[in-house]
Amino acid sequence: MSWLPVALLAVPLLGALLLLVSPTVLRPWLRVYGLVVSGVALALAVVMVATFDYGQAARPQFAVDREWISGLGLHFHLGVDGISLPLIALTALLTFLCFVYLSWGDARGPGQLLRPRAGGGRPRALVFTLLVLEVGMIGTFLALDLLLFFVFFEIVLIPMYFLIAIWGGKGRRGASIKFILYTLLGSVVMLLGLLLVWARTGTLDIIALGQAHGAGMPRAVQILAFVAIGAGLAVKTPMWPLHTWLPDAHTEAPTVGSVLLAGVLLKMGTYGFARIAIPVLPEGAAAVAPWLGAFAVVGIVYGALACLAQRDLKRMIAYSSVGHMGFVLLGFATLTTVGINGALFANVAHGLITGLLFFLAGAIKERYGTADMRALGGGMLATLPHLGSVLTFAAIASLGVPGLAGFWGEMLSLFGAFQPAGGLPRGLFLTFMVIGGLGAVLTAAYFLVMLSRVTHGRPERAQAVPAAALSGASGVGGRPSDGSALPDSERVAGAIKGEGGVGGWVLRDIQGYEFAAWVPLIVLILLFGLWPKLLLSLTTPAVQTLLGALS
């Protein structure tokens, strides 16, 4: 089955290349082309999950190891273990659901991006960009060579830049430039750290480096390499205070861009800690762990306080990611099986929950024409009961209620801080645990404030809402079927009252394509929340092998 990793990369790559060589032939099929290609990739990921040997989750499976550049001793080395398998499946699933959301939406919803005549523009470029992005994301989780990891890690930057710059909101140019500058600078620093490891060990093989447990690298070299590699990974995570590119990128990105950015791209940074930084540089990890934990808990509290100050729904969700990634980094900083298991669990849970939240934020903005929570007027449970209910579910899952996936990662990370690895200052980590617990309380606060503003209360006549994007029972592109424009206040008032309004304008509840894109995420959030062993039994053996460097 060694063909599976290659096929997982080849399917979206060939799909993207085919768009370049046969643009006119495929143009009529663009609305389903990306759906089919990403669906095949998802099917391959499902086959990988089904045929994975769970009794040997600690060792790489489906391995491919071919000489790449003989003069430098580089290898095209791919493989899957218990750490990477959940993230590969998550990537394939979210990419497919993004195409479901795009392909089945009509001209008044997200589907307009794939309809040149409906105002979307560049539909072929959009499909191409998303497929190339999928190649880079999956390749990062498959790579078992340091340089190959770096190549895939960098591939994602260009398509995500264009996704924000071309299909983003009004501030897309500034947001895309900030994204590319921050991430490229972080990548340069990370590359220096990787080259330092190569210079001291003479190999780029991640498996061999992990088994060597830092042999051949003095403690000072390991600390320097860990700081360099960790800084590059921290930018992508993002860790406070290297997070400032994230809110703008999320706010301006199109819905599918925000989903993939939060659901997968942030995981590439945290995955690098588990795959490279901690096992390859154990002494460096032990020395830097207290600092990593300190930055993590500052990010938890800062993210929660920043969320309380936000008015824009997408921006609030973006800042919540800073806090949630803080729990992931805190789990890694404990250097324990419990803590790192919690970090890996929180990684997957955050991808599912925050991916769903950004889908919902996009749906709300498409209906109301704004993501400003005060301008929405409240009362969504009365006007759009199904959409309001799913938003409530996603918010409750994100704040870490027991029985849903968000609970286990945060709880295990905090529990790992209660008893960190030997040699780490327990008193300091107990302080981290207390501060992280305070951050969890603040998480509940800002989500409850958001729900009180958006879903509860009586619907108001929100005249401040720019309703250019309101969905209509008739007409396309913000006008009734007779072609006349309507005053924003009249259209909004009619929609909020649940009436036809002037010209028959109404707000539509959850549509079929939205239901199809969101239900798999809801099911998995419930499944992993009620049965966490599904993930923990997969990651535990791999984590124990990873921590062999510190035992």
Side-chain angles (χ1 to χ4, degrees):
M1 301 290 284
S2 61
W3 56 270
L4 264 177
V6 177
L8 260 176
L9 293 175
V11 166
L13 179 59
L14 293 176
L17 293 176
L18 192 57
L19 282 172
L20 294 180
V21 299
S22 303
T24 56
V25 175
L26 295 174
R27 184 174 295 136
W29 308 99
L30 282 176
R31 282 175 65 86
V32 297
Y33 180 77
L35 187 67
V36 171
V37 174
S38 61
V40 173
L42 177 60
L44 291 171
V46 171
V47 171
M48 182 175 283
V49 171
T51 56
F52 188 82
D53 184 355
Y54 293 90
Q56 301 290 329
R59 66 176 181 83
Q61 301 179 35
F62 313 110
V64 176
D65 191 358
R66 297 287 185 271
E67 192 174 61
W68 183 17
I69 303 176
S70 57
L72 297 176
L74 304 181
H75 285 245
F76 188 79
H77 192 183
L78 306 175
V80 183
D81 66 359
I83 294 174
S84 57
L85 180 64
L87 295 173
I88 292 170
L90 176 67
T91 302
L93 174 64
L94 286 178
T95 306
F96 175 73
L97 295 182
C98 284
F99 275 111
V100 169
Y101 192 71
L102 286 172
S103 301
W104 286 357
D106 61 25
R108 292 162 294 184
Q112 65 180 317
L113 292 177
L114 295 180
R115 293 171 65 101
R117 296 182 181 179
R122 299 186 177 94
R124 182 167 63 95
L126 177 62
V127 176
F128 175 83
T129 300
L130 291 174
L131 292 177
V132 173
L133 187 61
E134 184 175 23
V135 173
M137 294 186 298
I138 291 179
T140 301
F141 301 131
L142 286 173
L144 294 178
D145 179 275
L146 286 181
L147 190 59
L148 188 63
F149 172 87
F150 181 78
V151 169
F152 283 121
F153 196 85
E154 295 304 291
I155 284 177
V156 303
L157 301 185
I158 302 304
M160 182 53 71
Y161 166 80
F162 284 114
L163 199 58
I164 299 170
I166 296 177
W167 295 279
K170 293 181 179 179
R172 58 186 179 272
R173 290 187 178 180
S176 59
I177 291 173
K178 184 183 288 188
F179 164 78
I180 199 72
L181 288 179
Y182 265 79
T183 50
L184 280 178
L185 180 60
S187 297
V188 169
V189 177
M190 183 177 72
L191 179 60
L192 294 176
L194 297 177
L195 292 176
L196 178 59
V197 171
W198 186 23
R200 300 295 304 200
T201 62
T203 181
L204 289 167
D205 188 280
I206 294 176
I207 301 302
L209 289 168
Q211 292 172 347
H213 302 334
M217 288 184 285
R219 184 173 184 271
V221 172
Q222 289 196 37
I223 293 174
L224 181 60
F226 189 94
V227 170
I229 295 172
L233 297 172
V235 172
K236 186 69 70 72
T237 297
M239 179 183 75
W240 179 92
L242 304 174
H243 69 285
T244 54
W245 61 269
L246 183 69
D248 291 337
H250 270 312
T251 302
E252 302 303 332
T255 297
V256 293
S258 293
V259 170
L260 293 177
L261 183 59
V264 182
L265 263 70
L266 304 191
K267 313 303 172 289
M268 291 166 57
T270 53
Y271 172 78
F273 281 99
R275 175 60 68 209
I276 298 171
I278 294 176
V280 174
L281 305 162
E283 292 186 58
V288 179
W291 293 96
L292 182 62
F295 284 120
V297 295
V298 170
I300 292 171
V301 175
Y302 169 84
L305 293 176
C307 285
L308 284 169
Q310 301 308 309
R311 292 185 55 173
D312 186 275
L313 182 58
K314 289 189 72 176
R315 201 169 184 86
M316 189 211 76
I317 299 170
Y319 273 110
S320 76
S321 292
V322 176
H324 288 304
M325 289 297 101
F327 282 104
V328 174
L329 293 173
L330 178 60
F332 284 133
T334 67
L335 302 180
T336 62
T337 302
V338 172
I340 294 180
N341 261 327
L344 296 174
F345 198 104
N347 246 355
V348 176
H350 178 266
L352 296 171
I353 296 169
T354 309
L356 177 60
L357 279 169
F358 275 115
F359 269 134
L360 291 164
I364 291 169
K365 191 170 184 178
E366 285 152 10
R367 285 163 170 79
Y368 289 89
T370 182
D372 188 300
M373 290 183 281
R374 294 180 183 178
L376 293 176
M380 187 178 293
L381 284 172
T383 56
L384 302 172
H386 297 102
L387 184 61
S389 298
V390 177
L391 178 63
T392 302
F393 169 83
I396 291 173
S398 189
L399 62 86
V401 169
L404 300 175
F407 169 75
W408 296 104
E410 295 182 5
M411 187 273 291
L412 291 174
S413 294
L414 293 175
F415 189 65
F418 178 76
Q419 190 67 54
L424 296 180
R426 185 164 187 257
L428 180 62
F429 275 82
L430 285 175
T431 304
F432 293 161
M433 183 190 72
V434 173
I435 297 174
L438 174 63
V441 174
L442 291 173
T443 301
Y446 67 73
F447 271 116
L448 290 176
V449 169
M450 181 273 288
L451 291 175
S452 69
R453 290 176 175 175
V454 176
T455 62
H456 289 67
R458 297 186 62 183
E460 299 176 1
R461 186 184 176 90
Q463 297 202 22
V465 179
L470 271 174
S471 300
S474 58
V476 175
R479 292 178 178 271
S481 56
D482 61 4
S484 60
L486 293 174
D488 286 349
S489 59
E490 291 184 72
R491 290 164 54 193
V492 175
I496 290 178
K497 291 176 183 176
E499 304 167 352
V502 182
W505 284 91
V506 294
L507 282 176
R508 299 175 300 165
D509 212 334
I510 294 179
Q511 302 299 292
Y513 65 91
E514 294 171 326
F515 187 80
W518 301 346
V519 164
L521 301 178
I522 295 171
V523 170
L524 289 173
I525 291 168
L526 286 168
L527 181 63
F528 290 139
L530 297 173
W531 196 4
K533 187 180 178 181
L534 278 176
L535 273 181
L536 294 176
S537 61
L538 180 62
T539 58
T540 298
V543 170
Q544 290 172 341
T545 300
L546 175 154
L547 290 175
L550 300 166
S551 59

